[in-house]
Amino acid sequence: MSSSATSVVNGGISFWYADDGLPAVREPLSGDASADVVVVGGGYTGLWTAYYLKKAAPFLRITVLEQKFCGYGASGRNGGWLYNGIAGRDRYARLHGHEAAVRLQRAMNDTVAEVVAVTEAEGIDAGVHKGGVLEVATTPAQLARLRAFHEHELSFGEKDRELYGARQTAERIRVAGAVGSSWTPHGARLHPVKLVKGLAAAAEALGVVIHESTPVTEIRPQHAVTPYGTVRAPYVLRCTEGFTASLGGQRRTWLPMNSSMIATEPLTDEQWAAVGWDGREALGDMAHAYVYAQRTADGRIALGGRGAPYRFGSRTDNDGRTRAETVEALREVLTRFFPALAGVRIEHAWSGVLGVPRDWCATVTLDRATGLGWAGGYVGSGVATANLAARTLRDLVQRDSGQAGGTGLTELPWVNHRVRKWEPEPFRWLGVHGMYATYRAADRRELLRPGTGSSRLARVADRVAGRN
Ligand SMILES: Cc1cc2nc3c(=O)[nH]c(=O)nc-3n(C[C@H](O)[C@H](O)[C@H](O)COP(=O)(O)OP(=O)(O)OC[C@H]3O[C@@H](n4cnc5c(N)ncnc54)[C@H](O)[C@@H]3O)c2cc1C
C-alpha cells in the first residue's frame, strides 16, 4: 500500500455524500398501515416509480419503505453516468427480434432526455452536463472491439454516434495512448446524490409517504412486513436491486456485484489543460474489466471499476469501505490514463453493489396474479434504466388496476422476462471471481502483447458467466 493510500477517506457511503452532506433521516414506520401501492427501496427505481405513479394518479396512496435512507444504495454511490446503455439488449434481440430491441434502445435514448427534462422541471440541481459518452480504446485489441461495438450500436438505430481516430479523441480528452474512440450524444454526467435527494423531495411534495430506517423483512402478496408493522397494499413493488439477496427467498435471484470508485482532489487549471475534457463527457474504455469516469462539477475526476467483484454468500455492504488494493488499482488506471496526474491526491474511495441476474438482462415485471412487481438487474447501467423501469412499472400498475390501457412501454421486450436463479455457493463465488480474474488476465495480455488481438480468454469467461 502506498503511504498516500492511508490518507484517503474510505467508505462513508460515497464521496457524493461527503460533498453534499448526509441527509436527515425521515421517520420510520410506526405500526401497521395500508396503501394502494407500497414500494420497497428508496433508490432511483423506487423513487421514480413513486413519483410517476403519484403524478399520473394523484389519488393513489403510495408508501416507500427504505431500510436506511433514500440513496443509501447504488443511487447514492454511482459514477453519475446517465446514459442509454441497457443490460441485456442483445439477448432481447435474439429472444424477441431485432426490431423489438431497437424499440428498447430508442426508449433508452429518450430516457436520457426524460431524466434531464424532469430534473429541470422539478428544479433539481443535479449538476447535469449533457456532454455524451466517450468510450476510448488504448490497445489494438481494444480498437478492434471498439470498431465492432460502434458498428453494432449503429445497427440498433444510433445514427448520431461518431467514431474518432487518435487525434480527434485527444481533442476531446487526452487519454494516454488512446488510438480511437466512439462517442454518443445520449449521455450526461450528473451528481448522483443531488439527483436522489431531489427525487425523494419531489415525490414527497406530490404526497408520497416515505419511511426511512425501515427494513422490509418479508415481501408477500399484498404485504410488506417490517419490524415496526406491516404495510398492506394491492401492489407491492420490490426495488432493492443489489440488496435483493438479503430478502427472504431471493438469495440467488440477483447477484450483488461490487463496483468501486475513487475521487481525486480538485485539479488545477494546469492539470485540466494537460487532460482536456472541456466537453465533460462521461468517459469509459474498452477493457474487459472496464473503467468509467466523469469530470465532476467541482473539478475532480471520479473514476470507477471493478474491485473485489463479489463477496461470498451474496453479502452486500459495509457503508462503502473499499480494500486498499482496489484503491491502488484504480489510482494506477488514473495515472495510466493521465500520466500528468501522477502526483494528484486521491481524496475518497468507496464501493457499492449492483444487481446481476443470471442472464445479465435487466427486467421489469408485474405479476398480475399476486400484485407483486419488481425492477432491476441493471448490471451497472441503472442511472437511466431505473427511470425507464419506473415509467414502465407505472404503466403496468395502471393497466392492471384498470386506470389506463397498455402503452408502448409495457410492450418492450424486457417486460415480464423471467430467468433462472444463480448457482448455490461456493459455485457462485468461484464463477464470478474466476470470470473477473480472467478478464484482468485478458486485459494484461492485450496491454503487454499488443499484436495478439482480442484475447480469447475473455470470450470464454463471457460464455461461462452466461453473458453471451
Ligand atoms: C459504484 C457504482 C457505480 C455505478 N456507476 C453507474 C453509472 O455511472 N451509470 C449507471 O447507469 N449506473 C451505475 N451504477 C449502477 C446504478 O447506480 C444502479 O443501477 C442504480 O442506482 C440502481 O438503483 P435502484 O434504485 O434500483 O437500487 P439502489 O440505489 O441500490 O436502491 C435500493 C434501495 O433499497 C434499499 N433496500 C434494500 N433492501 C431493503 C429492504 N429489505 N427494505 C427496505 N429497503 C431496502 C437500499 O437501502 C437502497 O436504498 C453504479 C453502481 C455502483 C455501485
Side-chain angles (χ1 to χ4, degrees):
M1 185 196 318
S2 84
S3 59
S4 51
T6 53
S7 65
V8 175
V9 179
N10 193 329
I13 321 296
S14 70
F15 160 74
W16 310 113
Y17 279 113
D19 180 50
D20 201 54
L22 286 166
V25 177
R26 296 172 174 85
E27 288 296 309
L29 181 70
S30 58
D32 293 342
S34 66
D36 297 308
V37 180
V38 58
V39 173
V40 181
Y44 297 145
T45 305
L47 293 170
W48 276 123
T49 301
Y51 171 87
Y52 281 116
L53 261 172
K54 190 74 182 166
K55 203 133 185 135
F59 54 86
L60 286 179
R61 295 168 306 144
I62 300 171
T63 298
V64 176
L65 301 175
E66 162 56 47
Q67 61 172 354
K68 303 261 179 159
F69 54 82
C70 290
Y72 174 78
S75 301
R77 308 186 195 199
N78 62 73
W81 274 43
L82 171 75
Y83 82 116
N84 64 343
I86 178 163
R89 183 201 60 195
D90 291 3
R91 190 181 292 266
Y92 287 127
R94 290 198 292 275
L95 291 173
H96 299 273
H98 185 74
E99 261 320 296
V102 168
R103 281 191 286 113
L104 183 61
Q105 186 58 63
R106 278 206 202 104
M108 282 302 301
N109 298 350
D110 294 345
T111 297
V112 173
E114 166 75 9
V115 173
V116 174
V118 178
T119 49
E120 277 170 13
E122 293 291 348
I124 300 171
D125 179 11
V128 176
H129 187 98
K130 202 161 181 290
V133 179
L134 188 74
E135 279 159 291
V136 300
T138 56
T139 65
Q142 286 189 20
L143 186 60
R145 279 201 297 282
L146 178 89
R147 288 187 175 136
F149 161 76
H150 184 86
E151 288 306 315
H152 194 60
E153 296 310 296
L154 293 185
S155 77
F156 283 90
E158 248 201 88
K159 301 295 176 220
D160 38 13
R161 183 174 274 277
E162 294 175 15
L163 188 65
Y164 300 139
R167 189 180 50 79
Q168 291 160 301
T169 303
E171 280 166 10
R172 286 186 173 250
I173 309 178
R174 280 187 281 288
V175 175
V179 285
S181 60
S182 175
W183 177 80
T184 173
H186 301 290
R189 75 102 220 263
L190 52 73
H191 189 302
V193 158
K194 290 186 176 176
L195 175 61
V196 79
K197 282 183 179 175
L199 267 181
E204 224 168 15
L206 292 174
V208 170
V209 174
I210 303 177
H211 292 297
E212 296 183 322
S213 296
T214 304
V216 172
T217 51
E218 187 191 348
I219 292 177
R220 56 175 198 270
Q222 298 171 30
H223 295 76
V225 181
T226 85
Y228 315 119
T230 295
V231 183
R232 289 164 161 266
Y235 298 99
V236 183
L237 307 178
R238 190 185 80 217
C239 303
T240 49
E241 245 274 312
F243 298 85
T244 301
S246 56
L247 278 162
Q250 305 293 342
R251 180 156 292 273
R252 295 194 281 128
T253 301
W254 292 334
L255 182 135
M257 182 82 81
N258 207 59
S259 197
S260 302
M261 295 198 69
I262 54 172
T264 67
E265 62 186 328
L267 304 190
T268 62
D269 290 346
E270 296 75 59
Q271 285 167 327
W272 280 122
V275 167
W277 213 338
D278 293 338
R280 277 109 175 126
E281 300 87 347
L283 170 67
D285 75 351
M286 294 303 292
H288 298 291
Y290 61 85
V291 168
Y292 52 92
Q294 69 151 284
R295 174 175 178 165
T296 67
D298 66 344
R300 304 162 192 267
I301 294 177
L303 177 143
R306 203 64 77 221
Y310 167 70
R311 299 171 73 211
F312 192 87
S314 292
R315 278 180 296 141
T316 50
D317 203 54
N318 49 14
D319 290 346
R321 273 194 303 283
T322 301
R323 295 193 315 186
E325 305 93 272
T326 301
V327 181
E328 280 309 301
L330 293 174
R331 178 204 298 277
E332 261 173 51
V333 174
L334 178 78
T335 49
R336 178 158 52 80
F337 272 29
F338 304 115
L341 303 184
V344 80
R345 200 158 52 82
I346 306 301
E347 272 195 6
H348 209 126
W350 71 98
S351 300
V353 284
L354 39 101
V356 182
R358 188 64 184 85
D359 65 353
W360 301 69
C361 291
T363 45
V364 48
T365 297
L366 180 68
D367 184 315
R368 302 181 85 162
T370 59
L372 295 178
W374 57 89
Y378 309 128
V379 193
S381 52
V383 175
T385 315
N387 176 281
L388 181 62
R391 285 183 286 132
T392 309
L393 272 177
R394 171 200 61 195
D395 292 354
L396 289 168
V397 167
Q398 286 210 285
R399 181 177 70 183
D400 190 64
S401 57
Q403 294 168 48
T407 65
L409 298 187
T410 58
E411 306 311 315
L412 290 174
W414 69 324
V415 176
N416 293 333
H417 172 73
R418 304 288 175 120
V419 65
R420 72 184 166 94
K421 289 182 185 276
W422 283 91
E423 289 75 0
E425 297 291 21
F427 303 107
R428 212 153 69 235
W429 189 91
L430 287 170
V432 176
H433 277 261
M435 180 182 79
Y436 274 95
T438 310
Y439 284 160
R440 278 191 286 266
D443 283 334
R444 260 194 315 276
R445 196 183 142 105
E446 290 175 9
L447 210 59
L448 297 175
R449 298 170 58 191
T452 52
S454 213
S455 170
R456 223 174 284 148
L457 278 175
R459 263 175 281 152
V460 173
D462 280 346
R463 215 164 302 136
V464 172
R467 294 185 82 161
N468 276 329

